[in-house]
Each structure stands twice: as structure tokens, then as C-alpha cells.
Amino acid sequence: MTYKTRNFPEFSACGLNCGLCPNYFKHTNGAFKCPGCAGAGFSDVHPACAVLTCCQKKGLEYCWHCGEYPCKRYDNADTGDSFITHKNQLRDIEKVKQIGINGYISEQNEKIAILQNLLANFNDGRKKSFFCVAVNLLQLGNLKNIMRQIENEINPNDPIKEKAKAAARLFQAVADEQGIELKLRK
């Protein structure tokens, strides 16, 4: 199926933060590069998506614009993960409803910039998924505080493995304080 390109492919029709996924085209050099939900070339990498198909047939940008939301597709929506965590999917939808899509996308763009910094400067080849999940699940204020800690506490000249381990430790400490598990649930 060919999908109509969406305004904000970094935030999916079903409420996932595609811009924080390890396979999002800005974060990978691998063969599988996703343009986000109905981004340019989406149909080439995702031949079918029942949720997106449903939305687009109804002329909707997001599921929650539908009078049937939440439908059966949302049963157990946040109990498992794919390439990206679904843990905050429903909470994020509620946040969009409160602050509007432009406000939400603004926050997501800040998170994407933080993630790109982490991947460029603190990924030892083993932390990509960890950083993607951490940036997705932690609040923006927490992320900004952690980045300030990283800037103050980690020597940029240290070997990448040491920088990666130190940065991950800072993220894990905040997650532990908040009772957030920073790993995908398969």
C-alpha cells in the first residue's frame, strides 16, 4: 500500500515516537532506515500497517481523532515493544491532546537532538538501543539535567567505552529513582 505522507512522521499515527527509534533514518547507517510513520519512502520499508491504513482511509492524521478511539488495536498497546518502546504510547497520546501536536513535536525535536548527540559522542557500538529507550521514556527536563551532568562530569577526551559507560550510568541512576526500566520488552 502507498501512504499519503504525514506532516510529522517522527510521531506515528498510533502514538509511537518514531523519531526516537534506533531505525529512524537520522540515527542509523544500517540497511534498514525508517523515515518515520508515513514519511517519504515509508511504503518501501513498511509494506503494510493496519493502524496507518485505517487512519488514512478515514482521512485522519492520528488514531485519537477517530470517534472509535481507543479501538481494539489498542488492547494491550503498551505491554510489549518492537524496535521502539511502547511503554508510554498511551501517555504520550494524552500529552499531545493536552499541549497540542506542535508543542509535542517541539519537545520531540529537542529529544531527537539529545539522542543524536548521545549517538555521535557516547555510543560505543553497544548503547544505541539503550539511549533510544532512555530518551524516549525519560522526561525532557530529566534529559537536560543528565546532559548537563555529562558535560560537567565526563571528559570528552576519554576513550569512547569509558564515556559510554559513564553516560549510561547517569541515565540509569535517574531511571532507577523513577522506577523506569530502560530496556525493550520483547
Side-chain angles (χ1 to χ4, degrees):
M1 171 159 192
T2 302
Y3 296 100
K4 177 182 173 264
T5 302
R6 296 177 61 252
N7 292 324
F8 300 110
E10 64 269 36
F11 189 61
S12 75
C14 68
L16 293 174
N17 293 305
C18 296
L20 302 175
C21 177
N23 293 323
Y24 190 58
F25 75 98
K26 291 183 179 181
H27 311 316
T28 188
N29 293 323
F32 184 77
K33 294 181 182 186
C34 182
C37 182
F42 179 82
S43 298
D44 297 335
V45 293
H46 294 284
C49 174
V51 173
L52 184 58
T53 299
C54 181
C55 278
Q56 292 206 340
K57 281 183 179 178
K58 293 178 180 181
L60 304 173
E61 187 80 5
Y62 297 100
C63 289
W64 57 91
H65 293 153
C66 179
E68 297 175 36
Y69 173 82
C71 70
K72 66 181 181 206
R73 287 187 173 95
Y74 282 88
D75 291 349
N76 303 313
D78 56 0
T79 60
D81 298 323
S82 55
F83 294 109
I84 187 168
T85 183
H86 293 231
K87 289 179 187 173
N88 290 347
Q89 182 178 8
L90 300 175
R91 186 198 75 188
D92 290 342
I93 289 170
E94 291 306 312
K95 187 171 186 177
V96 171
K97 289 178 176 181
Q98 291 172 3
I99 68 172
I101 191 63
N102 290 324
Y104 191 82
I105 293 299
S106 177
E107 284 189 14
Q108 286 309 98
N109 286 336
E110 287 186 70
K111 284 186 161 192
I112 290 169
I114 289 169
L115 180 57
Q116 288 177 317
N117 179 342
L118 290 166
L119 295 177
N121 299 299
F122 300 94
N123 181 21
D124 62 357
R126 301 183 71 180
K127 298 286 187 287
K128 184 177 186 179
S129 289
F130 174 85
F131 288 139
C132 288
V133 171
V135 172
N136 200 328
L137 295 179
L138 296 173
Q139 297 295 319
L140 184 58
N142 293 129
L143 296 172
K144 289 179 179 181
N145 288 338
I146 294 167
M147 295 308 289
R148 279 191 290 276
Q149 278 185 280
I150 286 172
E151 189 176 305
N152 292 329
E153 297 176 18
I154 298 176
N155 183 341
N157 298 318
D158 281 349
I160 189 67
K161 283 189 174 191
E162 287 181 35
K163 292 191 311 184
K165 187 186 285 187
R169 200 170 31 249
L170 293 171
F171 279 94
Q172 192 63 58
V174 171
D176 288 347
E177 287 173 11
Q178 297 180 8
I180 297 172
E181 188 176 22
L182 297 180
K183 65 180 187 178
L184 293 175
R185 301 157 302 152
K186 296 289 182 173

